[in-house]
Amino acid sequence: MKLTKVFDQTNFQEKGSFYKILNTLVEKSDNKEIDKILGNTNSQFKDIESENISKLFSLVKKDYKVFLENELSGNISQLDILLDILLRDGNAILKDSWFEELYKRQIKKINDSCKEFVELIESESKDLDENRRRDYNIYRACVKTAYQNDELNNFDKKVTADEYSILKTLASSLDLSNEEIRLIHYSIIPINYLELDYIIKILRDLGIVFYSRKTSNVYVADEIVKIIREIRGKSSADKYFRRLLGMFKDPIINLICKKHSISSKLERDQKIKSIINQGITVQNILANDIHKEPITLNDKKKELNTIMISLGVDPKGVTLEDKIQLIINYFNSLEKDEKLGVTPDGYYSLCNDLKTHVSGLNETLINEFEFKEDTLVLNSELLIDHNIKPRDILELLSKDELKEFCAIKEIKSRGDLIDNILDAYTDSENVYIENYVNLGVRDLNVLKVNNIQLSAAEIGVKYEDVTKRLLRDLGFNIDEDLRAKINT
């Protein structure tokens, strides 16, 4: 949910903590655009429209990221647990009771996983590579020293900011995922259960969440999610990570799992979910984990070129890092684009038809996006609020389920089944108008995702056609003879 929409759901008092932080950042900034926005107001945030508050935040978001990084640095506490819950797809809006339930479940899961992880490290099991066991033991010994050395000087046990920065560098050098780091931390540092009111207060004071007492809803705006994701080292949303992993064949998925001590006995879907939940970065997956050693740098680049072509990304970029960044940029452009790929009416109809013809999909959505149990989530308005688009839903279906749905709805089954389904629920004229800007800037990648299949040569003509329709709808006359005369 966008920041402007969150503002509409909360009152001034509930936005107070965020306004306080924003005011401090605005006062420190020398951006002249801020003065233009504040020029027509008395600089009181309560009197500024939501749209302008959102613009102000966009101007100081880099400063907010620095502020948040400083607040989180040296804080090996439960903030990492809370942030990871809020970052998951579908958790942008949560009932406070459900947020508390997810928090309890996460603590139990971590405690159970820590026990298993320690047993794996301390045993001589062949399920764990000896070099990896050495890496874990090195990092665990360092965390133990950092946490316990204060006790020798009669201070409370904790990890200081300086120690934490060193641990982060060590973890990066050992190629540890967020989940591996967390399990090692909490195998040394005990987790104490925090009350819900205290949790919400912590997050509100940092400007991360908004809480409506009237609806008991906890909101985290899309703009905040992106900043936290950057801080947590996640370059894209989980749904796009899942899309990328879904492109890999089983041997590659198994290779990733082996490198990060994920059980080979799990089903493919469970392996993919575990990879995502581990907090392994897209950069690391593409740079290292999908490649079977020994491999040359040129061969790595060739493999990435194949992935880029499959995604519809131009396989350019000189270095490996350049190519990885282009893939990440592609996914981020999809997230930034607010178009559904079908019309709102089409999305509504699609949800109704899926509800009728695909059994168990509602439960699948609940499990995948952590919605509250026994909730009807196949609702287009609810899904739009959670930034879940038609393609995100269809990608959760198996190939057999997609084929069966196409057969029932008499949708062609040749070619890409998901594209065929989206095309069937698309009012092409309205979709062209919704994508008018994307046509104008010739963004082929975004147009493709939004179910518009055009070649580069066809875009110019289509842009003219849509422009003519818009002008006619506004009551203007199109002089075709004059247009033909001056056209080159």
Side-chain angles (χ1 to χ4, degrees):
M1 183 178 282
K2 294 295 181 185
L3 199 55
T4 51
K5 197 166 183 180
V6 173
F7 287 146
D8 294 338
Q9 305 294 323
T10 49
N11 62 38
F12 177 76
Q13 186 178 1
E14 292 161 350
K15 293 178 280 206
S17 297
F18 180 82
Y19 283 158
K20 184 178 178 181
I21 295 168
L22 183 59
N23 184 57
T24 301
L25 298 177
V26 164
E27 286 181 347
K28 290 181 179 179
S29 177
D30 56 0
N31 192 314
K32 294 180 180 179
E33 292 297 318
I34 291 176
D35 294 333
K36 291 181 182 178
I37 295 172
L38 296 178
N40 297 324
T41 71
N42 58 7
S43 298
Q44 294 292 316
F45 286 122
K46 65 179 181 180
D47 299 324
I48 302 176
E49 293 180 353
S50 298
E51 192 70 36
N52 282 330
I53 291 290
S54 181
K55 289 178 182 178
L56 283 174
F57 180 71
S58 69
L59 294 172
V60 297
K61 64 182 179 182
K62 290 183 180 179
D63 299 317
Y64 176 72
K65 182 184 175 184
V66 172
F67 157 77
L68 210 51
E69 284 176 325
N70 290 335
E71 292 293 323
L72 298 176
S73 66
N75 199 334
I76 300 182
S77 68
Q78 295 181 40
L79 271 174
D80 66 317
I81 299 174
L82 299 171
L83 293 182
D84 281 358
I85 292 172
L86 296 173
L87 284 181
R88 292 173 196 160
D89 296 329
N91 285 354
I93 309 170
L94 293 166
K95 286 290 181 185
D96 54 9
S97 57
W98 182 237
F99 184 27
E100 185 176 28
E101 177 62 28
L102 290 177
Y103 168 64
K104 288 178 180 177
R105 291 184 186 185
Q106 190 68 4
I107 288 179
K108 184 180 185 306
K109 180 184 174 184
I110 291 172
N111 284 330
D112 292 343
S113 298
C114 280
K115 291 176 184 177
E116 295 174 7
F117 192 72
V118 171
E119 288 174 6
L120 183 65
I121 295 174
E122 294 179 347
S123 70
E124 296 182 0
S125 171
K126 293 181 180 179
D127 291 336
L128 182 61
D129 180 79
E130 282 305 312
N131 288 330
R132 202 59 176 160
R133 190 191 311 277
R134 181 205 61 190
D135 294 343
Y136 291 156
N137 281 322
I138 289 171
Y139 189 73
R140 191 162 183 256
C142 292
V143 172
K144 191 171 184 178
T145 300
Y147 181 61
Q148 296 181 348
N149 60 7
D150 293 308
E151 194 174 31
L152 299 174
N153 298 316
N154 291 320
F155 293 120
D156 291 335
K157 290 189 288 187
K158 67 175 182 178
V159 179
T160 65
D162 288 342
E163 290 167 337
Y164 184 51
S165 66
I166 294 170
L167 287 173
K168 282 178 69 177
T169 303
L170 177 59
S172 177
S173 300
L174 295 175
D175 196 20
L176 299 180
S177 69
N178 285 343
E179 186 66 11
E180 289 168 324
I181 294 168
R182 173 184 290 161
L183 292 179
I184 293 173
H185 284 173
Y186 291 123
S187 70
I188 303 295
I189 305 166
I191 305 177
N192 298 314
Y193 175 76
L194 303 175
E195 295 295 331
L196 178 65
D197 288 345
Y198 181 65
I199 289 172
I200 291 177
K201 183 180 185 306
I202 291 173
L203 296 171
R204 281 182 62 193
D205 288 348
L206 291 173
I208 294 171
V209 304
F210 299 82
Y211 178 58
S212 169
R213 294 195 177 278
K214 181 180 179 181
T215 61
S216 299
N217 281 340
V218 176
Y219 300 94
V220 52
D222 294 344
E223 294 89 335
I224 304 290
V225 167
K226 289 174 185 175
I227 292 171
I228 298 172
R229 197 186 292 147
E230 289 175 17
I231 293 172
R232 297 289 292 150
K234 299 182 75 169
S235 54
S236 58
D238 289 346
K239 60 184 179 181
Y240 298 120
F241 196 3
R242 187 189 306 109
R243 187 177 300 177
L244 177 66
L245 293 171
M247 296 170 57
F248 300 141
K249 294 181 179 178
D250 286 344
I252 300 296
I253 296 295
N254 291 334
L255 185 62
I256 299 170
C257 290
K258 185 177 179 181
K259 289 185 178 182
H260 292 279
S261 307
I262 297 171
S263 174
S264 60
K265 297 176 183 178
L266 298 173
E267 295 293 327
R268 176 182 168 86
D269 288 348
Q270 292 175 313
K271 288 175 183 175
I272 288 176
K273 197 165 186 176
S274 296
I275 292 168
I276 294 171
N277 291 340
Q278 279 260 7
I280 306 166
T281 65
V282 173
Q283 290 95 327
N284 197 51
I285 290 281
L286 295 174
N288 303 306
D289 294 346
I290 63 172
H291 308 291
K292 192 171 183 179
E293 299 294 346
I295 185 171
T296 65
L297 181 60
N298 279 336
D299 285 339
K300 282 187 176 183
K301 290 180 182 179
K302 287 177 182 178
E303 288 186 16
L304 288 190
N305 283 345
T306 302
I307 294 170
M308 294 169 81
I309 291 169
S310 298
L311 289 169
V313 178
D314 188 3
K316 53 186 180 181
V318 178
T319 67
L320 193 70
E321 291 74 18
D322 290 340
K323 294 179 180 297
I324 292 171
Q325 192 57 52
L326 285 170
I327 293 173
I328 291 170
N329 290 346
Y330 165 71
F331 286 128
N332 287 338
S333 71
L334 299 187
E335 184 176 27
K336 192 181 296 183
D337 183 64
E338 297 179 17
K339 308 297 184 299
L340 295 174
V342 299
T343 58
D345 286 344
Y347 198 7
Y348 176 83
S349 299
L350 175 62
C351 286
N352 284 341
D353 289 342
L354 288 171
K355 194 188 311 175
T356 303
H357 300 296
V358 182
S359 62
L361 180 55
N362 196 72
E363 288 69 28
T364 300
L365 285 168
I366 287 172
N367 293 330
E368 191 64 42
F369 296 111
E370 289 194 333
F371 289 111
K372 188 177 180 181
E373 284 102 340
D374 301 323
T375 304
L376 180 59
V377 296
L378 262 173
N379 176 303
S380 58
E381 289 186 8
L382 182 148
L383 293 171
I384 289 170
D385 280 343
H386 287 80
N387 199 24
I388 298 171
K389 300 177 182 179
R391 184 177 291 272
D392 303 328
I393 299 174
L394 295 174
E395 285 179 339
L396 298 177
L397 301 180
S398 67
K399 192 170 184 180
D400 288 340
E401 287 173 320
L402 290 170
K403 281 183 177 179
E404 186 178 350
F405 184 74
C406 287
I408 292 170
K409 300 301 296 180
E410 299 182 349
I411 297 170
K412 66 178 181 179
S413 57
R414 293 183 63 184
D416 190 300
L417 296 174
I418 291 178
D419 283 344
N420 294 345
I421 293 170
L422 292 175
D423 187 53
Y425 286 87
T426 297
D427 178 340
S428 60
E429 287 304 312
N430 283 335
V431 168
Y432 284 129
I433 290 174
E434 285 184 354
N435 283 273
Y436 186 64
V437 172
N438 294 325
L439 287 168
V441 298
R442 308 176 74 84
D443 196 330
L444 282 168
N445 288 333
V446 173
L447 290 171
K448 181 181 178 183
V449 171
N450 286 340
N451 208 32
I452 294 177
Q453 305 292 335
L454 291 173
S455 68
E458 295 170 327
I459 287 182
V461 175
K462 178 55 67 176
Y463 183 68
E464 287 189 13
D465 290 342
V466 178
T467 302
K468 283 195 290 184
R469 178 185 165 178
L470 286 171
L471 291 172
R472 284 197 177 107
D473 288 347
L474 290 169
F476 291 97
N477 176 54
I478 306 298
D479 189 332
E480 292 289 356
D481 292 335
L482 177 61
R483 176 176 171 273
K485 183 178 179 181
I486 65 174
N487 193 29
T488 61

